[in-house]
Amino acid sequence: MTGNHQTLALLLFSVFVAITLGITTWVSRSRQGSAEEFYAGGRLFSPMENGFAIAGDYMSAASFLGISGLISLFGYDGLLYSVGFLVAWLVVLFLVAELVRNCGRFTLADVIAARMNERPVRIASGTASVTVSLLYLVAQMVGAGSLVALLLGDTGDAAQAWAVIGVGALMVIYVSLGGMRATTWIQIVKAVLLLGGTIVLTALVLVRFHGDFDRLLRTAAERSGHGAAFLAPGLKYGGDWIARFDFMSLGLALVLGTAGLPHILSRFYTVPTARAARRSVVWSIGLIGGFYLMTIVLGFGAAAIVGPDAVRGSNASGNTAVPLLALDLGGGAGSTGGTVLFAIVAAVAFATILAVVAGITLASSASVAHDLYASLRRRHAAPRSEVTVARIAAVGMGVVAIGLGLLARDLNVAFLVGLAFAVAASANLPVLLYSLFWRGFTTRGAVWAVYGGLVPALMLVLLSPVVSGSPEAIFPGVDFQIFPLQNPGLVSIPLGFLAGWIGTVTSAEVPDEAKHAETEVRSLTGAGAV
């Protein structure tokens, strides 16, 4: 890219950052001292606004950059990510959205602690939520590094490192100053921009092939170098039984993990009623469904127009497929049209990353302050001091996420999010479902369910090809790989459910029937909900 074109692209970046910082400054002038204002935005958002914000939270860099990149490299097998992410919303809609809104106040731990001994449950759930959030943050940081390095024409480590640091600093500002209200409006703006940009690119791809989707697929298969195998299962996950089990593990994590993501669950507390929460999910399903259908077109479009070799040459994991596609659709490298479209897409992708990291950081800082800090003190923290702790926690999360993002910068962002989903499905989902639906569930069962899923998931990732023992690993020079699968969900999710059951049946604690009845009525009717 020429200097003038880079200037244009950076100008678009700056405009979005200026707009979002303006939103944050405007919101920070309003009352942000109360916990309800900081964590839930005063519960003042309409179902449509919250639906757009949920969609904004969910349509992350993994979706826009990572999934399209995987489809461009692996065809049908990359498409499975789109299907998994979309189907997961049905689990959220039918199992948890309304019930979580009725039973909790700000975090997942509120739902579980309603009928348990609060302190151990909050500590366990808060720990799991922070861990999941960190894994998700790392994916966004990696996406930011790839994107800005491509934009600047410098794919070196220094450019990616500064991009990661910049995103981390901005997310801390958004969260610590604006809280949930600023974060929600940033998500809404970002969702509109992302959907608009995706619609334009999808239309241009279809116009290039005169609306003939079959021709698009055939061209993608021809350019891939794999022929018909590009459009059939097995290119990435069908080599042997280990690859097939890896695919099953990934699918299980994607479908079940969404219902355990802290930053998604916290969205249901920003609306005034459970009915509004349910309608929010309906709005978000429509937006997210349309978006994931378009990522399929973009992925195969990148394979057909740019070519997998060029995509791999820019970024080994395919994270830059969509920006390269935009450059080609606009007229190619060096053309004004190509650079304008590239800059718009890069700015939208950057907006996506900034908005998502703000939402995740807010959810994790809420877990630190509302669950961990309030539980570890001898007495409950006052609301104002709790918000102060949340702001400090946002800074800490930013620093840790930057460090981990620098370590994992060569991994595909969709793959990294798959790991976060696996940990969420292993640690958060079992305890959430048991708490809502099992009358005899106890405190020990809750704690064991969380740690029984969290610890195995993390250990299996550390001992997998993701960390060592393969050329694509975080530490390719060493080999302490024992577990053969890249995604731990197939093993760790059942272990979470099993640990919760064993902890409950071996517990001497007598379940509180009255509390369960109260929770059941509250979850199903909304009576007594905050």
Side-chain angles (χ1 to χ4, degrees):
M1 293 176 67
T2 66
N4 290 336
H5 292 157
Q6 286 183 1
T7 302
L8 172 64
L10 289 172
L11 180 63
L12 285 170
F13 272 132
S14 303
V15 168
F16 177 80
V17 172
I19 291 171
T20 52
L21 285 175
I23 292 172
T24 304
T25 305
W26 168 65
V27 170
S28 67
R29 291 178 179 174
S30 64
R31 186 171 56 90
Q32 288 290 324
S34 71
E36 186 165 310
E37 279 286 333
F38 187 79
Y39 296 143
R43 309 189 199 279
L44 298 175
F45 293 99
S46 69
M48 185 181 76
E49 290 168 345
N50 198 44
F52 269 88
I54 291 173
D57 248 333
Y58 199 64
M59 296 183 303
S60 65
S63 305
F64 189 53
L65 302 176
I67 292 177
S68 300
L70 284 173
I71 293 173
S72 71
L73 297 179
F74 301 106
Y76 181 92
D77 281 11
L79 181 150
L80 296 170
Y81 275 86
S82 290
V83 176
F85 281 137
L86 182 54
V87 171
W89 268 109
L90 299 177
V91 179
V92 176
L93 176 61
F94 290 120
L95 279 182
V96 302
E98 186 175 353
L99 306 182
V100 164
R101 172 62 187 81
N102 285 338
C103 289
R105 288 186 69 223
F106 305 126
T107 64
L108 172 65
D110 289 335
V111 180
I112 305 164
R115 45 182 289 229
M116 307 288 176
N117 182 359
E118 280 202 40
R119 180 170 174 161
V121 167
R122 285 193 181 277
I123 292 172
S125 181
T127 302
S129 294
V130 170
T131 305
V132 171
S133 298
L134 272 175
L135 284 171
Y136 213 107
L137 277 173
V138 169
Q140 311 310 313
M141 296 297 188
V142 171
S146 301
L147 189 67
V148 176
L150 177 65
L151 178 69
L152 298 175
D154 181 1
T155 56
D157 291 346
Q160 294 191 36
W162 281 111
V164 168
I165 292 168
V167 170
L170 281 170
M171 82 182 185
V172 169
I173 293 171
Y174 292 149
V175 173
S176 58
L177 291 182
M180 178 58 86
R181 193 173 296 182
T183 301
T184 300
W185 281 113
I186 291 168
Q187 294 288 11
I188 293 169
V189 172
K190 164 258 177 138
V192 172
L193 290 174
L194 181 59
L195 286 167
T198 308
I199 289 169
V200 169
L201 284 181
T202 302
L204 289 173
V205 170
L206 293 176
V207 166
R208 175 73 67 93
F209 290 90
H210 307 290
D212 188 345
F213 193 68
D214 181 60
R215 183 180 161 205
L216 166 64
L217 293 178
R218 283 189 281 107
T219 306
E222 289 167 8
R223 289 207 65 180
S224 71
H226 299 287
F230 190 70
L231 305 178
L235 194 60
K236 181 174 174 62
Y237 294 110
D240 53 26
W241 280 106
I242 289 178
R244 294 175 190 178
F245 277 121
D246 223 346
F247 162 66
M248 289 187 280
S249 189
L250 171 68
L252 196 62
L254 293 181
V255 171
L256 298 180
T258 302
L261 291 176
H263 67 290
I264 297 296
L265 294 177
S266 66
R267 282 261 151 241
F268 300 130
Y269 301 126
T270 62
V271 289
T273 64
R275 183 169 180 266
R278 190 168 61 250
R279 289 174 61 199
S280 297
V281 178
V282 174
W283 269 99
S284 63
I285 283 178
L287 298 169
I288 291 167
F291 171 76
Y292 280 115
L293 287 175
M294 289 187 286
T295 61
I296 296 171
V297 177
L298 297 184
F300 285 114
I305 296 170
V306 179
D309 290 339
V311 171
R312 247 188 221 100
S314 172
N315 183 276
S317 299
N319 292 333
T320 55
V322 173
L324 291 175
L325 174 64
L327 189 65
D328 198 295
L329 289 171
S335 68
T336 301
T339 305
V340 168
L341 193 57
F342 172 87
I344 290 172
V345 168
V348 167
F350 195 66
T352 297
I353 292 166
L354 285 178
V356 171
V357 296
I360 301 165
T361 306
L362 180 60
S364 57
S365 62
S367 292
V368 170
H370 187 63
D371 299 326
L372 296 176
Y373 173 69
S375 297
L376 293 172
R377 280 181 55 132
R378 292 183 179 274
R379 56 185 177 80
H380 288 293
R384 187 171 297 275
S385 65
E386 189 178 297
V387 170
T388 302
V389 171
R391 290 189 167 113
I392 296 170
V395 178
M397 290 294 293
V399 171
V400 176
I402 288 169
L404 293 175
L406 295 176
L407 273 178
R409 60 177 168 261
D410 293 327
L411 298 179
N412 181 276
V413 287
F415 167 73
L416 285 169
V417 166
L419 294 182
F421 272 61
V423 178
S426 305
N428 289 342
L429 186 64
V431 70
L432 179 60
L433 294 183
Y434 279 151
S435 297
L436 291 172
F437 300 112
W438 187 5
R439 183 180 299 273
F441 197 44
T442 63
T443 301
R444 178 193 280 183
V447 173
W448 283 28
V450 173
Y451 292 128
L454 177 65
V455 175
L458 293 178
M459 291 302 298
L460 291 175
V461 169
L462 288 174
L463 299 175
S464 75
V466 175
V467 176
S468 71
S470 70
E472 300 83 18
I474 295 176
F475 302 110
V478 294
D479 185 0
F480 47 85
Q481 170 200 340
I482 298 174
F483 183 65
L485 305 184
Q486 292 189 328
N487 192 294
L490 192 64
V491 176
S492 59
I493 295 172
L495 283 178
F497 280 99
L498 179 63
W501 178 78
I502 293 174
T504 297
V505 298
T506 59
S507 173
E509 177 187 349
V510 179
D512 192 324
E513 294 285 340
K515 278 189 177 180
H516 176 267
E518 179 185 340
T519 303
E520 189 173 40
V521 170
R522 181 173 166 179
S523 67
L524 295 174
T525 67
V530 178

